[in-house]
Structure formats: structure tokens, C-alpha cells
Amino acid sequence: MKPTLKVLLLISFVLLAACNNSSVKPIDEEEGFDYGRIRNEKYINTFFNLEMNVPKDWHPQNKEEIKELTNEGRKIVAAGDKNTEALIKATEISTASLLVVFKYDDEDDFTDYNSNFMLIAENVKNISTKITAEQYLNHAVMLIKRSSLTITEFDKEFEKRTINNIDFYQTTITIDVEGVPVYQTYLVTIENNFALSLVYSYLNEEQKNELEEKVINTIKHKK
């Protein structure tokens, strides 16, 4: 199962990038936009006024690594269809991967699954009708269902989940990876006219609980 470990995450990133089909200026040109930084085991983003923990010894991906993942994901999702690949590539102008973190750096360091999380921002302010977090999540899930991933289970309804006074809409999908169920939980909120998606992947309850305790439940607005 190891060769597909990162594929799950990168496909999700590419599909979320395709949620916005509007024409917007590059995300880097948004006034005050901030990719954020990690200091003292904490991710801080001034544009969204957010912070969250990044566990010590976990492994954030750099821009080149994220670019490589994205390019691979685009090809997998497009499955040889040049028009689809071009469409996905075009939509990436409005999307930024703010944070991508794996628990392990070396595949020799684990035997089951390299649990991970990512934070994605997509500019949605130019969509013709104002989009809610629930609507955005619904669109993302529809795109994921159309992908090459084998989805075996998904939530029929989205749950509203509040973490430190931030309201998210949440769903979890189950993906079959070579006969093994892998879980991805998606949390979406709208901040500063951006859809902010926090996605985490895990194999079992132990990994899920670790991700939620050490990372997910620490996200909050800076005081």
C-alpha cells in the first residue's frame, strides 16, 4: 500500500482546486495574502488570523514537494484527458496549499499508513452566488466521487462542527486502497472570502485520535 500513500492526499488537493470555476486573479496577488509559517511547533497565518499545532518531529512538505505532488495528482485525476488536465491546472491559480504535513518522512519508519493533514485555501469571492462552507464541501465531495479513487463509504449528511469558536462543516469518506480502508475527514469553513479546508487522513481510530488531539482540535483564531 505504500506507493499510494501520498496519492490520496494529492488527489484531494487537486480536486478541491477544481471547486472554483470562476475567473479570479492569482492568489498571490490578493492583498495581504499569507501562506503562513511554522515556528516553535505552531503554524501561524496572519491573513486568516489562524494558528494550529504542528507536532514536533512531523514533516511539513516544502513548496517543491507540494508542487510535485500536485502535478502527479493532476495526471491521475485527468486520466489522460488533456481537457480535464488543462481545466484543473487553470483552476489552481485560485488555490493555495498552505500546509501539508506527514507524520513520517521515510517510508521505512512505518509499517501501516503515514497519517497526514493539510490546509488548503481557495478564493471563492468571485463565484456568481455567495457560497457557504456546506455548499463548497458538497461540491468537493461530488468531484471526489468522480475521481479514480475507490470510494466505499461516505457520510450522507454533513455535520456542523465547532472547534474553538470556528464553525466547520465536516464529512468523512472511506477509500479502498489495495483492499485496505483509508479514511479522510474534510473540514471546511469560509474565512476572508476563501474556502479554508482542513483535511486529514488516517487508517484507524488510534491515528485519527492522535491527529485530532495533536493538530485538528488546536486550530483557532489568534488573540
Side-chain angles (χ1 to χ4, degrees):
M1 188 170 66
K2 287 188 178 183
T4 56
L5 290 177
K6 292 187 177 181
V7 169
L8 292 178
L9 182 140
L10 61 90
I11 284 181
S12 298
F13 170 57
V14 170
L15 287 170
L16 284 168
C19 285
N20 184 359
N21 59 10
S22 60
S23 177
V24 298
K25 63 183 179 181
I27 202 166
D28 289 340
E29 295 180 10
E30 287 293 330
E31 184 176 356
F33 187 80
D34 175 26
Y35 276 81
R37 65 191 187 280
I38 298 174
R39 289 185 179 175
N40 299 322
E41 301 176 34
K42 193 177 293 293
Y43 170 80
I44 299 172
N45 189 296
T46 57
F47 182 76
F48 296 107
N49 191 35
L50 288 175
E51 64 178 41
M52 62 189 295
N53 292 351
V54 177
K56 183 179 180 180
D57 299 328
W58 286 39
H59 300 275
Q61 305 294 285
N62 60 40
K63 287 187 177 182
E64 286 303 311
E65 290 170 323
I66 293 172
K67 182 178 180 181
E68 182 179 342
L69 290 174
T70 305
N71 289 339
E72 185 180 349
R74 186 191 307 124
K75 293 177 182 177
I76 293 171
V77 173
D81 186 327
K82 297 298 182 182
N83 291 332
T84 301
E85 185 172 351
L87 175 62
I88 294 172
K89 184 175 177 62
T91 59
E92 288 171 8
I93 193 172
S94 62
T95 306
S97 179
L98 305 178
L99 187 64
V100 178
V101 181
F102 290 91
K103 181 173 181 179
Y104 300 104
D105 185 42
D106 192 332
E107 290 188 356
D108 292 333
D109 292 338
F110 63 93
T111 58
D112 46 17
Y113 184 73
N114 194 358
S115 52
N116 54 72
F117 66 93
M118 63 179 174
L119 186 64
I120 304 165
E122 181 168 11
N123 190 340
V124 295
K125 72 178 181 181
N126 284 357
I127 292 180
S128 56
T129 57
K130 189 173 182 180
I131 192 169
T132 66
E134 188 175 17
Q135 290 168 332
Y136 183 91
L137 182 58
N138 182 63
H139 189 61
V141 169
M142 287 193 297
L143 287 168
I144 292 168
K145 288 179 186 177
R146 296 174 190 167
S147 74
S148 59
L149 296 174
T150 303
I151 310 299
T152 59
E153 190 174 345
F154 57 90
D155 294 337
K156 303 298 190 238
E157 296 181 359
F158 302 143
E159 174 187 353
K160 187 175 181 180
R161 177 176 173 185
T162 302
I163 303 175
N164 298 318
N165 296 318
I166 303 176
D167 291 333
F168 293 91
Y169 275 90
Q170 170 183 300
T171 192
T172 298
I173 63 175
T174 307
I175 306 165
D176 181 275
V177 183
E178 299 178 11
V180 177
V182 177
Y183 306 93
Q184 277 198 325
T185 296
Y186 297 75
L187 294 167
V188 176
T189 189
I190 304 295
E191 296 273 350
N192 288 355
N193 294 312
F194 279 75
L196 202 60
S197 303
L198 183 56
V199 184
Y200 53 110
S201 304
Y202 47 92
L203 192 66
N204 50 47
E205 284 296 313
E206 181 180 357
Q207 291 182 347
K208 176 186 177 182
N209 292 339
E210 180 181 41
L211 280 160
E212 293 190 338
E213 178 182 350
K214 293 185 176 181
V215 180
I216 308 306
N217 292 338
T218 70
I219 191 168
K220 62 182 178 181
H221 286 125
K222 293 181 61 183
K223 296 181 179 179

